Amino acid sequence: MELTTATRRRGVQEGGAHLNPAWAALLIAMLFCPASWVSADAPTQSTRDYILWYRNYDSPAINALVNLALSKTPEYGAYRLVRSQELSQGRVLRELSRNRSRLVDIANVATSEERETFLTAVPIPIDGGLLGFRVCVVRPEHLPLFENIHTLEDLENSNIRIGQGTHWPDTEVLRANNIQVVTHTRYEILFSMLRNNRFECFARGASEVLYDLKIEADPNLVIEPNILLAYAMPSYLFVAPEDQQTAHRLQLGMERAILDGSFGEFLRTYYGRAVQALNLPGRRVLVLENPYLSEESGYVGRRTLESLRHRLELLSR
């Protein structure tokens, strides 16, 4: 039995926290059905290699989540997670859309209506929506620039430039909110550009910034302590448009993890520390509009923003 994309998207909203009754009944049936009903052609013997984008593979949180989802679906067969070549985000999305080279099978990136059109999304926010909560990585001497930023209008009227990836959906969101943006195609180069004063803020997701700075190990880069940029930006796992089997396996695995509590434990383990360390509940929140989401992802993102304080309190426990 295969679920349509529309059915899957309607079924899980806000990380699985709100299931409509019809979907809940179907999901419970799926959890206890025979393997042949979940997917008629699911492999049961051979080991399948899943090539995960290298930035996701190197991220302890995303690597752990993909392994969690795959481990919850043993009826699909044994698996091995493989690190991809070091490809830019734009190249990864092109390779997935072509579905020919198999340079990558799974990538976690922020969603947009365009991406959901030419790729297959697993529509469960992998980090509880934290990617849309952004803090600034800055040089210490630039900290005074942020002291008088209290509103989005203050940021718009300042001379603060924000660094982002050329192909990241965040770039267009920031520009749509009249914020100056400087871009580069490679994530690693953006840190060099920040060090060289090409911009004053490298906006990083609350779910990723601590890991970023641990890898950079540069005492001349710090996190600005008072401002939180917030916009609807769910972060999904994506696969090639024709690779429905992988999409079904990942979604079923994540749904099972939601129901048995291991997804919540994953969020607390990998993201609870970030909420506390970054003092997210105590920051000044600047809410930006994101006009580039699909209707379904826009719903997920809006609910995330509406329940910002509650979600941060849960993750900080």
Side-chain angles (χ1 to χ4, degrees):
M1 176 181 180
E2 292 193 350
L3 302 177
T4 65
T5 299
T7 300
R8 289 186 285 111
R9 286 178 179 166
R10 287 195 301 269
V12 179
Q13 299 290 359
E14 189 64 17
H18 302 274
L19 299 176
N20 64 53
W23 175 257
L26 178 59
L27 177 56
I28 291 171
M30 288 175 64
L31 296 179
F32 298 101
C33 70
S36 59
W37 195 53
V38 176
S39 178
D41 56 353
T44 57
Q45 298 298 328
S46 61
T47 298
R48 163 76 190 272
D49 284 349
Y50 291 98
I51 304 173
L52 181 62
W53 182 31
Y54 86 97
R55 281 188 54 198
N56 300 155
Y57 187 96
D58 293 346
S59 165
I62 301 171
N63 191 306
L65 178 63
V66 176
N67 269 297
L68 177 64
L70 295 175
S71 70
K72 294 289 182 182
T73 50
E75 64 268 42
Y76 281 80
Y79 72 91
R80 183 177 64 166
L81 212 54
V82 178
R83 187 180 190 268
S84 80
Q85 300 176 25
E86 297 192 1
L87 308 172
S88 70
Q89 185 173 133
R91 174 77 183 281
V92 163
L93 298 180
R94 289 194 298 272
E95 294 297 334
L96 278 178
S97 67
R98 293 167 183 160
N99 197 31
R100 290 194 300 266
S101 66
R102 284 238 29 222
L103 290 179
V104 64
D105 294 317
I106 305 169
N108 164 238
V109 294
T111 194
S112 68
E113 185 169 21
E114 179 186 18
R115 290 177 174 184
E116 292 177 31
T117 299
F118 68 84
L119 298 174
T120 296
V122 179
I124 302 174
I126 65 102
D127 58 3
L130 285 182
L131 187 67
F133 304 153
R134 300 247 157 182
V135 297
C136 285
V137 178
V138 304
R139 293 170 58 93
E141 58 268 32
H142 289 151
L143 285 172
L145 297 175
F146 297 85
E147 291 178 355
N148 294 319
I149 304 297
H150 296 274
T151 66
L152 182 59
E153 185 178 9
D154 291 338
L155 183 60
E156 293 174 11
N157 294 331
S158 72
N159 293 319
I160 294 172
R161 300 165 294 178
I162 294 182
Q164 292 286 271
T166 303
H167 302 289
W168 299 356
D170 311 80
T171 298
E172 295 307 316
V173 171
L174 292 168
R175 286 174 173 160
N177 287 270
N178 301 314
I179 296 172
Q180 299 182 64
V181 185
V182 178
T183 66
H184 197 279
T185 57
R186 289 300 299 267
Y187 153 81
E188 295 86 353
I189 300 299
L190 287 162
F191 279 103
S192 298
M193 294 172 68
L194 176 61
R195 293 183 182 98
N196 293 323
N197 295 315
R198 294 286 303 279
F199 48 81
E200 291 72 42
C201 161
F202 187 7
R204 302 296 295 145
S207 58
E208 59 194 1
V209 67
L210 296 179
Y211 175 75
D212 292 344
L213 292 187
K214 179 180 178 181
I215 296 301
E216 289 298 313
D218 185 346
N220 293 315
L221 297 180
V222 299
I223 298 172
E224 194 282 326
N226 298 314
I227 293 172
L228 179 65
L229 303 176
Y231 45 90
M233 182 62 73
S235 175
Y236 296 155
L237 296 175
F238 283 89
V239 301
E242 295 85 5
D243 193 4
Q244 293 298 309
Q245 187 179 98
T246 299
H248 291 170
R249 178 171 190 173
L250 290 169
Q251 178 154 343
L252 180 59
M254 291 177 71
E255 288 164 351
R256 286 176 174 170
I258 289 167
L259 288 183
D260 69 17
S262 52
F263 182 77
E265 185 60 33
F266 158 80
L267 289 177
R268 285 187 291 273
T269 298
Y270 288 96
Y271 301 124
R273 173 176 169 265
V275 171
Q276 294 178 326
L278 299 173
N279 186 31
L280 297 189
R283 288 172 174 260
R284 298 192 293 270
V285 180
L286 309 185
V287 178
L288 287 68
E289 295 294 326
N290 181 355
Y292 301 108
L293 294 176
S294 67
E295 181 179 353
E296 294 87 351
S297 293
Y299 171 82
V300 173
R302 286 192 299 273
R303 287 194 61 86
T304 301
L305 288 180
E306 289 167 3
S307 59
L308 171 61
R309 297 297 180 192
H310 177 63
R311 298 175 70 84
L312 295 182
E313 289 172 2
L314 289 176
L315 284 175
S316 64
R317 290 177 181 173

